[in-house]
Every structure is written in structure tokens, then in C-alpha cells.
């Protein structure tokens, strides 16, 4: 196709033979071929599934909702508008937009972008609008948005942002007009950067977790026409001229200052005197409510009278009064205050300077001041100042620094050989040698165990009036020097929590007031060395547990055996008595008590008994004689045969059975006689007890069953 044209161009005919009309037609054909080639090149530069439009001089590449996993690499670098929304792009890297200096509008909305590499938009110097909403961004680093020098619209809403670098917006602070950070998880925003966006028209910060607005953040934003701060966690709002422009009926003083639409509803506002300035503005009720204090909680902000916006001055509730600290150790001063609003606490040093954070001091919001390493210069009175909008309150904390013994600072008076107080090991050895050489031994260690020791010392007889003693000791395992401060009235101290089987070096110093310098000075009393004993805590613990368990088992066993023996004895005794009481007397022929007859013919009348013989009469006559013994045998054979039927009486027959064969004979006998005596007392009749006469046989007390008369109730 292109060959004839190429041959014609390479070997043109002579000018004399060529016709003008033919030359014009060849040039026209060449221009058409160049245009077709350019069109083919543009078609080949359009990514697969994307739509490329060439409208006048601008080229648009539309790749929205194409299921892309990454930004296509073959996008035309001359593209002016690029739409990559509704895809699955995860990472934006610098090669993706390399050399696209003419790109003006870039849309990356509703993807899954969670990472933006540094300088990913470095070549987009002409970009005016960047849409990154609906992604998964959590952080924006300081170099993620570099290179966009003319950006005007930045849309970052509906992400998961928790942090934005303070300098992330530095490249387009002077050109940005629209910033949308709504629907994220921001606790704070880069107020320093927002403060410098002089061309900003719209700022959307709604539906975040913002609880603080920097004072003066909007003071220079004269072109701001809309500020949305709804649904955050704002406790208060700082006074700002911006809010005055949001009043109803306010006329802009200059054509460059516009009125503003302000929205801050849905925040837990604390309606106290700090918001009185806002209450005095003339605004329409935007449904803002008060969350605290209790007297106005739940009420609409604009309906609360101005006199109810009150504050309470600060009150210091507790603080450190006096603190003694050894030189070089950490000192912590505490101060707590209440008030409405919450007071801010500052510390003033003894030389009337505000304490600020440094490498050696740290001041916290809760009122705590930490001096990490104390020096002699830190000694003095510190002032805690609590300040809020209603006033201030102060308290004084006295910090006393106990200096360490240093050679050459005038704190040690050498009365004997100097043991070298800067090295406790050398001090102990020198003191021990001095004691062996005849010097008085002032420090003694006794009652040494695996974890404790008793230290005794002798007071110095010199002119020093010690008002405190100091014990310094360390061990061979750890070179850390340990200090103990002892009152001046004590001459001994019990060291605890020592390490077993370790050698210790110990020194005792007296602390006194130096008359020359008016500062605390120290004087060495003496040093000593000792070694702790070995400890076997596991064995002793095991022996104690074993002994206690054994005693418990023995005592428990004795109690159980005693209970078992007692139970068995009671069971045996119960069975024996049960078998002994098995043949108790039986009561038969029980009749109801009558007057000698049976009414209604229920029982037949008995005929009177026949006249008994003289023997029987003798038995009856002897019934009153006390010859009836309880041990006599009672049975059916003891009764004489009745001679005649007796008259029916109120009677009961007691069938005693064969009581002679029972081991409980005395019990049945006593029962029988009890009933008999009762019958005798009621009826006035005496039972007859008689012994057999003549043959020597012992008869029973009754000759007939009818003669046993009892009353039955």
C-alpha cells in the first residue's frame, strides 16, 4: 500500500515531465496517509476495554467499571481526562502516571486503593481535580501527594483515614479550593496546613472523630463559604471571626469576604462560659444540643439563656507537699485540680520560670511534673498553677535534694583515712582493713540470712549533729547502688529482700547541715562487708506442705475410725435389745369397761362360777399378804380349774405366755404387776398370791383367769 508512494517520493520524475495537477494530488495523498497513521497510533494507545475520545485538542480515556486490577500501562501520555472509577485497583505507584504532564482531571473513586506510593502523582503538575473517595486509605504520608502544584479539588471522603501528615498538603496550599475529608475516622486533621489554604472555598470535615479545633485555624480563610463540622466529638469551639460571618443578615464588608454556611450539629457540646460568645451570635437554630453540664444537658443550644452559660474556677484538691529525693534520682511532683472547664496546670520553678518539656523534665496534662535526673540546683519551692476561663489557683511543693558525697565539694570531712566514698567497694575494704588495724569498728552487720541482715552503727562523737543517716549498699551480682534513708534517732536497720549467696558491700553515712555552705553535707561513719546465706525455698516449702498434709490425714482417719466404731456398737446393741423384746405379753379378749353386764345383748351372759374349794378360799384370804414375789413363775398351769361359771365382770385376761423362756422375764413381770396394782386400786380388790401347799409347788397369784380384774380405759 505504501510502497508506490515511497517509490514515487524516492524517485520523482523530472520537473519538465510532471504535470501540476499530478503533483497536487500526490501531496494530498501524502497528507491523508499521515493523518491515517496518526489515527491508527491513537487507536493502538487506547487500553483494552477502555473508551478513548478525542474531542478537539483534549483526549479523554474512560476506563470506569471495567474490572481493572491495576492502572493500565499503555494509557496515552497526552490524556487530559482519565476516569478509572469503580474498579479494583489497590496500589497507586509512580510509573502509573509517568510523563502525564497534561492530565487535568483524574478520577480514582470507588476502588480498593489502600496504598499510595511516595511521588505517585509527581508528574501531574497540571492536575486540577483528584477524586480518591470510596477507597480504603488509612494513612496519607507526607510524600504521597507531592507534585500536584495546581490542584484545586481534592476529594478524600468515605475512606478509612485515621492520620494525615501535617505536610501532606504543602504542594497545593495556595491553589486548593475544595477539600472533602468527611466520613473518615480522623481524630485530628492537619490544622497547620488548613490554616494556610487561603483560596479554600469549601471544607467538609463532617462525620469524623474530631475533638479539637486549633485556635485561629480559620482566621485567615476569608474565601471560605462553607464549613461542615457535624457529627464529630467537639467538646467546645474556640472563638474565631469566621463564626461571626455565619450570622443571619450579615452583609459582607468587602467583596472578597463572603458569608459562610456553618454547620456543627451532632457534637457533644459543653455549654459553659467558653461557648457564651457563640450563644450571643444571631443564627438560625441548626438543632445543636448541649450534652453537659447536667443542668442544661439535652436542651437545644440556642434555647439556653445566656446566664446559664457559667463556669467554675479551679480548685486544687491534692498535691505533693514536701518531697525528699536523693541527688541523681527521679523526682515526681503531683498536682490535681478540678473546675469547669477543666483547668490547665503549669509548673513554675524556684527561679520563677515556667517549666517546659526537655530532656530532663517532663510536664503532663494531668498535672504531674517529672524531673528525670535531679541535681542540687533543683532544690527549692515549686509552684503549681491551675488555670481555666473562670480563674486560677496555686499550690506550693517543697522539693529537698539530698546531695551525694562527692570528693572536693566540701561535704566530707576526713577525720581518718579516706575510704574513697565514690567507690563503695573500695570504701568497704578500706574500712575493714582499718578495723583490723585497731580503729573502732562503727558499722556491724549481724543476723544475716538468705534475704535479710541487721545493720548496726555507732553515732559519730565529733561535732557533727546528724539529722539523718544514709545506708548505701550493692552486691557482686548487680553494681546498682541502693540507698536507704534512716531517721537520726535510729542506730540499726533491718535490710530485706537481699539476694541469697551473694557478697555485699555496705556503708553508713551521716547527713548534717554544713554551716559554711548552708547545704546538706555527709560524713562517712564506716563500711562493712557480708555475704548472705544459701536458700532452699522449694525444700522448706515441700516439707511444710508434707507435714501439714500428713497431720490432716491422721486426724481425719482417727475421727472416721471413731465414728465407725461407735456406729457398729450402737447397731449391735440395737439388735440385742430387739431380739430380747421380741416375746412381749399379748393382750387378748379385750372388753370395754361396763358395770358387770353387756348391754344390748352384744356379749352372752356368763353363769356364776361354782363354789370353789377351801383351797381356793385360802388363796383368796392370803391375797393381802406380802408374799407375792415378782420373780414367781406366771403361766397357764398356775390357775386352778374353775368349779362353776362366774359372774361376768369387767375384766381382761393377760396372756403372759411362757415368760420363763424369755430373757426379759423381769420386764413382763413388772408390767403384769403394774396393771394388777392399778386394777386393785380401782376396784378395791386384791389379787391372791399363794404357793402350793402340800406338794411344795409354787402356784401363780391367780387360780382362774376370771379373777384377774383390771380396769381398761
Amino acid at each position: 500500500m505504501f510502497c508506490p508512494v515511497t517509490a514515487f517520493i524516492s524517485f520523482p520524475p523530472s520537473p519538465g515531465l510532471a504535470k501540476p495537477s499530478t503533483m497536487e494530488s500526490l501531496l494530498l495523498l501524502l497528507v491523508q496517509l499521515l493523518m491515517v497513521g496518526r489515527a491508527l497510533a491513537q487507536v493502538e494507545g487506547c487500553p483494552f476495554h477502555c473508551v478513548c475520545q478525542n474531542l478537539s485538542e483534549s483526549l479523554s480515556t474512560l476506563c470506569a467499571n471495567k474490572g481493572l486490577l491495576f492502572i493500565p500501562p499503555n494509557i496515552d501520555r497526552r490524556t487530559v481526562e482519565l476516569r478509572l472509577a469503580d474498579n479494583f485497583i489497590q496500589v497507586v505507584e509512580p510509573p502509573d502516571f509517568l510523563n502525564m504532564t497534561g492530565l487535568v482531571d483524574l478520577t480514582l473513586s470507588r476502588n480498593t486503593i489502600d496504598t499510595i506510593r511516595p511521588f505517585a502523582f509527581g508528574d501531574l503538575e497540571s492536575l486540577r481535580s483528584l477524586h480518591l473517595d470510596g477507597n480504603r486509605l488509612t494513612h496519607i504520608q507526607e510524600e504521597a501527594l507531592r507534585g500536584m502544584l495546581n490542584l484545586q479539588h481534592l476529594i478524600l471522603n468515605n475512606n478509612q483515614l485515621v492520620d494525615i501528615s501535617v505536610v501532606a498538603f504543602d504542594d497545593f496550599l495556595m491553589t486548593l479550593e475544595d477539600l472533602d475529608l468527611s466520613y473518615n475516622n480522623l481524630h485530628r486533621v492537619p490544622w497547620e496546613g488548613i490554616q494556610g489554604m487561603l483560596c479554600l472555598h469549601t471544607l467538609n470535615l463532617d462525620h469524623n472523630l474530631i475533638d479539637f479545633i486549633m485556635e485561629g485555624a480559620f482566621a485567615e480563610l476569608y474565601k471560605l463559604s462553607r464549613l461542615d463540622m457535624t457529627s464529630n466529638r467537639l467538646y467546645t469551639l474556640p472563638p474565631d471571626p469566621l463564626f461571626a460571618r455565619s450570622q443571619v443578615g450579615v452583609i459582607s464588608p468587602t467583596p472578597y469576604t463572603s458569608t459562610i454556611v456553618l454547620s456543627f450539629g451532632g457534637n457533644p457540646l459543653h455549654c459553659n462560659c467558653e461557648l457564651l460568645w457563640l450563644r450571643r451570635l444571631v443564627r438560625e437554630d441548626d438543632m445543636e444540643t448541649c450534652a453537659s453540664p447536667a443542668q442544661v444537658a439535652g436542651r437545644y443550644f440556642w434555647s439556653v439563656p445566656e446566664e446559664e452559660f457559667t463556669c467554675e474556677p479551679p480548685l486544687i484538691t491534692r498535691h505533693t507537699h514536701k518531697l525528699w529525693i536523693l541527688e541523681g534520682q527521679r523526682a515526681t511532683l503531683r498536682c490535681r485540680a478540678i473546675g469547669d472547664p477543666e483547668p490547665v496546670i503549669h509548673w513554675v520553678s524556684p527561679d520563677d520560670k515556667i517549666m517546659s518539656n526537655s530532656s530532663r523534665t517532663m510536664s503532663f496534662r494531668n498535672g504531674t511534673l517529672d524531673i528525670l535526673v535531679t541535681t542540687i540546683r533543683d532544690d527549692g519551692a515549686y509552684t503549681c498553677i491551675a488555670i481555666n476561663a473562670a480563674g486560677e489557683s496555686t499550690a506550693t511543693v517543697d522539693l529537698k535534694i539530698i546531695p551525694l558525697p562527692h570528693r572536693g565539694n566540701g561535704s566530707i570531712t576526713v577525720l581518718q583515712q579516706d575510704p574513697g566514698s565514690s567507690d563503695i567497694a573500695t570504701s568497704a575494704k578500706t574500712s575493714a582493713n582499718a578495723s583490723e588495724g585497731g580503729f573502732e569498728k562503727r558499722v556491724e552487720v549481724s543476723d544475716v540470712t538468705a534475704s535479710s541482715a541487721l545493720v548496726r552503727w555507732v553515732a559519730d562523737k565529733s561535732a557533727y549533729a546528724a539529722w539523718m543517716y544514709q545506708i548505701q549498699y550493692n552486691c557482686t551480682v548487680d553494681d546498682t547502688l541502693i540507698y536507704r534513708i534512716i531517721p537520726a534517732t535510729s542506730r540499726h536497720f533491718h535490710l530485706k529482700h537481699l539476694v541469697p549467696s551473694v557478697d555485699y558491700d555496705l556503708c553508713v553515712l551521716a547527713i548534717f547541715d554544713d554551716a559554711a555552705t548552708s547545704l546538706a553535707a555527709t560524713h562517712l561513719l564506716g563500711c562493712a562487708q557480708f555475704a548472705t546465706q544459701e536458700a532452699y525455698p522449694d525444700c522448706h516449702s515441700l516439707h511444710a506442705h508434707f507435714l501439714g498434709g500428713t497431720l490432716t490425714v491422721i486426724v481425719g482417719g482417727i475421727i472416721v475410725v471413731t465414728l465407725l466404731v461407735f456406729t457398729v456398737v450402737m447397731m449391735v446393741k440395737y439388735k440385742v435389745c430387739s431380739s430380747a423384746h421380741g416375746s412381749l405379753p399379748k393382750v387378748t379378749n379385750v372388753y370395754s369397761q361396763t358395770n358387770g353386764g353387756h348391754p344390748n345383748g352384744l356379749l352372752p351372759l356368763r353363769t356364776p362360777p361354782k363354789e370353789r374349794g377351801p383351797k381356793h378360799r385360802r388363796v383368796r384370804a392370803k391375797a393381802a399378804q406380802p408374799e407375792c414375789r415378782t420373780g414367781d413363775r406366771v403361766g397357764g398351769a398356775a390357775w386352778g380349774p374353775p368349779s362353776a361359771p362366774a359372774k361376768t365382770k369387767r375384766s381382761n385376761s393377760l396372756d403372759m405366755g411362757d415368760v420363763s423362756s424369755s430373757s426379759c422375764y423381769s420386764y413382763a413381770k413388772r408390767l403384769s404387776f403394774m396393771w394388777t396394782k392399778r386394777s386393785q386400786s380401782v376396784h378395791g380388790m386384791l389379787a391372791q398370791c399363794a404357793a402350793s401347799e402340800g406338794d411344795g409347788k409354787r402356784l401363780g397369784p391367780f387360780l382362774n383367769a376370771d379373777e384377774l380384774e383390771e380396769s381398761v380405759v
Side-chain angles (χ1 to χ4, degrees), residues 163-479:
D163 179 66
I164 299 176
S165 174
V166 177
V167 297
F169 303 148
D170 283 0
D171 281 4
F172 43 85
L173 287 180
M174 304 303 297
T175 60
L176 194 65
E177 298 178 359
D178 185 10
L179 177 60
D180 191 351
L181 297 173
S182 60
Y183 292 93
N184 282 287
N185 299 322
L186 293 170
H187 287 271
R188 67 178 308 274
V189 294
W191 295 112
E192 296 82 359
I194 294 177
Q195 190 177 17
M197 297 179 181
L198 303 181
C199 297
L200 193 63
H201 292 170
T202 304
L203 177 59
N204 294 323
L205 299 173
D206 57 290
H207 294 88
N208 278 281
L209 305 175
I210 302 172
D211 56 1
F212 168 75
I213 297 179
M214 187 182 71
E215 188 172 356
F218 313 113
E220 303 295 331
L221 305 183
Y222 298 109
K223 294 185 178 181
L224 188 63
S225 60
R226 178 177 177 82
L227 174 61
D228 193 351
M229 295 287 298
T230 59
S231 298
N232 279 280
R233 295 183 178 179
L234 291 174
Y235 185 74
T236 185
L237 297 174
D240 198 289
L242 174 74
F243 294 91
R245 305 203 320 258
S246 64
Q247 299 183 80
V248 177
V250 173
I251 301 175
S252 177
T254 62
Y256 304 102
T257 305
S258 60
T259 58
I260 183 173
V261 178
L262 176 63
S263 301
F264 57 91
N267 287 280
L269 297 177
H270 184 67
C271 299
N272 60 357
C273 63
E274 288 185 316
L275 289 180
L276 184 58
W277 65 271
L278 182 62
R279 176 63 183 84
R280 291 174 177 173
L281 298 180
V282 181
R283 295 186 72 254
E284 294 181 355
D285 190 358
D286 197 18
M287 305 302 289
E288 296 91 355
T289 57
C290 297
S292 58
Q295 62 268 21
V296 296
R299 296 167 61 181
Y300 289 113
F301 180 85
W302 302 104
S303 65
V304 178
E306 293 183 9
E307 56 269 15
E308 295 189 26
F309 286 80
T310 59
C311 290
E312 296 179 3
L315 175 64
I316 296 178
T317 56
R318 51 194 176 95
H319 64 91
T320 305
H321 293 275
K322 194 170 185 179
L323 183 63
W324 294 88
I325 291 295
L326 194 66
E327 180 185 0
Q329 292 186 338
R330 178 174 181 171
T332 301
L333 309 182
R334 292 181 172 85
C335 184
R336 299 291 184 269
I338 59 174
D340 184 19
E342 183 179 358
V344 178
I345 297 178
H346 301 282
W347 286 92
V348 179
S349 64
D351 53 354
D352 294 332
K353 294 182 179 179
I354 298 293
M355 302 287 293
S356 59
N357 291 338
S358 63
S359 59
R360 200 173 62 89
T361 60
M362 296 181 63
S363 181
F364 299 92
R365 291 186 60 184
N366 62 356
T368 301
L369 175 65
D370 275 349
I371 304 176
L372 304 181
V373 180
T374 56
T375 62
I376 297 297
R377 295 187 301 272
D378 296 326
D379 188 280
Y382 290 77
T383 303
C384 166
I385 303 178
I387 304 174
N388 69 359
E392 66 178 37
S393 179
T394 61
T396 302
V397 178
D398 194 8
L399 178 61
K400 294 295 184 181
I401 305 299
I402 303 173
L404 291 176
H406 297 290
R407 183 188 301 274
N409 67 349
S411 61
I412 297 181
T413 302
V414 181
L415 298 179
Q416 58 184 12
Q417 184 178 0
D418 186 10
S421 59
S422 61
D423 189 351
I424 190 170
T426 306
S427 301
K429 294 177 182 179
T430 307
S431 179
N433 296 335
S435 300
E436 294 175 359
F439 291 96
E440 181 183 0
K441 188 175 182 180
R442 297 181 179 178
V443 178
E444 181 181 357
V445 181
S446 61
D447 299 338
V448 180
T449 64
S451 60
S452 63
L454 181 61
V455 182
R456 299 178 184 272
W457 62 90
V458 179
D460 196 355
K461 298 180 181 179
S462 61
Y464 301 113
W467 51 273
M468 191 175 295
Y469 291 102
Q470 175 184 326
I471 296 179
Q472 304 177 5
Y473 63 95
N474 62 358
C475 63
T476 56
V477 177
D478 188 1
D479 293 335

Side-chain angles (χ1 to χ4, degrees), residues 486-533:
I486 314 299
T489 57
S490 299
R491 295 296 183 271
H492 61 85
F493 185 76
H494 194 201
L495 298 177
K496 297 181 180 180
H497 308 294
L498 301 179
V499 181
S501 305
V502 171
D503 295 330
Y504 277 88
D505 297 321
L506 179 142
C507 289
V508 179
L509 298 92
I511 303 176
F512 62 95
D513 288 329
D514 191 356
T517 61
S518 299
L519 297 175
T522 57
H523 171 65
L524 181 65
L525 294 181
C527 298
Q529 290 181 325
F530 65 94
T532 53
Q533 299 178 0

Side-chain angles (χ1 to χ4, degrees), residues 537-551:
D538 296 336
C539 296
H540 291 293
S541 177
L542 179 61
H543 176 70
H545 285 293
F546 177 76
L547 182 59
T550 304
L551 290 177

